[in-house]
């Protein structure tokens, strides 16, 4: 279960493991949202001391991994090497130089499976995100996304997609607060985790 990358509070304890089994190996619904450079604008205020740091290689992440490993109680090195090996990049949010949140960016079709589109040049998909336990409840999730979108669009990105499980209310509400708009919903069938089917609702 750890190898699936779910390290948020929704997947802790017995109820969290049961949720993971149902969603990962039977059926779940995802809300797909996007932000476009043509209309996106800042929607939340950024607290003092917040900074977004882009990491393009595993070597660049090494100074930050001890704080992440301590926060989650396990070594994330092998997972992060794999994600960087897929060509994905990571964006960390720091608050007064402490790692507070993280998230990955996918371009192209390598890595996390995207059920709803093939990313075009200039498009990104935000995946595998989290706020470290000690920083939860402070509204930093939409703050990280706002800084991320602002940075990507300033670099010439055209569109950023993101998806969240329908029952993960804090995530999709955070996306909405950060200025994403809902694109649609998909239902994903994964019988026993062997074959995956997805359809728009």
């Amino acid at each position: 279960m750890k190898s699936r990358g779910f390290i948020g509070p929704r997947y802790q304890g017995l109820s969290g493991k049961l949720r993971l089994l149902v969603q990962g190996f039977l059926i779940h619904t995802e809300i797909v949202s996007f932000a476009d450079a043509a209309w996106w604008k800042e929607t939340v205020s950024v607290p003092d001391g917040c900074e977004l740091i882009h990491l393009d290689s595993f070597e660049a992440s090494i100074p930050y991994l001890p704080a992440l490993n301590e926060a989650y109680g396990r070594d994330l090195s092998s997972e992060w090497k794999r994600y960087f090996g897929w060509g994905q990049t990571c964006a960390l949010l720091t608050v007064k130089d402490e790692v507070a949140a993280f998230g990955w960016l996918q371009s192209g079709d390598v890595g996390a499976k995207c059920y709803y589109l093939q990313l075009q040049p200039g498009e990104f998909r935000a995946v595998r995100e989290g706020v470290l336990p000690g920083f939860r409840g402070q509204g930093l999730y939409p703050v990280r996304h706002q800084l991320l979108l602002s940075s990507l669009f300033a670099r010439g990105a055209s569109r950023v997609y993101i998806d969240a499980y329908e029952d993960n209310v804090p995530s999709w509400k955070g996306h909405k607060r950060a200025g994403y708009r809902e694109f649609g919903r998909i239902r994903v069938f994964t019988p026993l985790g062997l074959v995956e089917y997805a359809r728009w609702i």
Side-chain angles (χ1 to χ4, degrees):
M1 289 185 181
K2 286 183 178 180
S3 67
R4 292 180 64 84
F6 295 107
I7 52 181
R10 298 176 66 255
Y11 298 98
Q12 294 176 353
L14 179 59
S15 62
K17 298 300 183 287
L18 290 174
R19 179 182 291 113
L20 175 60
L21 286 172
V22 171
Q23 294 179 340
F25 296 95
L26 292 175
I27 185 172
H28 66 271
T29 300
E30 296 182 17
I31 298 176
V32 181
S33 302
F34 75 107
D36 193 283
W39 50 255
W40 178 82
K41 60 181 180 180
E42 296 183 356
T43 56
V44 296
S45 60
V46 178
D48 292 338
C50 289
E51 181 183 2
L52 191 73
I53 301 173
H54 289 274
L55 305 176
D56 296 322
S57 68
F58 177 73
E59 289 71 24
S61 74
I62 291 175
Y64 305 99
L65 279 173
L68 288 153
N69 293 340
E70 182 180 355
Y72 291 110
R74 62 190 181 94
D75 188 356
L76 300 173
S77 299
S78 60
E79 291 175 34
W80 283 43
K81 282 181 182 177
R82 183 167 68 251
Y83 303 151
F84 280 117
W86 289 341
Q88 297 181 9
T89 60
C90 183
L92 297 176
L93 175 71
T94 61
V95 177
K96 297 179 180 178
D97 298 323
E98 290 188 62
V99 179
F102 66 95
W104 292 82
L105 280 172
Q106 176 181 2
S107 59
D109 58 0
V110 179
K113 186 169 184 177
C114 186
Y115 301 103
Y116 46 86
L117 56 80
Q118 182 174 0
L119 295 170
Q120 301 301 312
E123 296 181 342
F124 293 89
R125 178 185 177 215
V127 295
R128 288 186 307 276
E129 304 175 301
V131 177
L132 275 64
F135 290 90
R136 290 174 186 155
Q138 301 178 32
L140 294 176
Y141 186 70
V143 167
R144 193 194 78 85
H145 271 286
Q146 179 165 287
L147 292 173
L148 176 67
L149 293 172
S150 178
S151 173
L152 289 174
F153 293 146
R155 295 180 179 195
S158 59
R159 183 173 284 192
V160 181
Y161 292 91
I162 193 164
D163 45 85
Y165 285 2
E166 186 178 46
D167 69 337
N168 189 356
V169 178
S171 285
W172 59 258
K173 280 191 173 181
H175 302 161
K176 188 175 180 180
R177 283 189 61 200
Y180 290 93
R181 296 179 183 175
E182 184 174 330
F183 184 76
R185 301 187 183 208
I186 55 173
R187 186 158 290 139
V188 182
F189 302 88
T190 52
L192 302 179
L194 300 176
V195 183
E196 297 175 305
Y197 306 93
R199 67 177 177 84
W200 289 100
I201 300 174

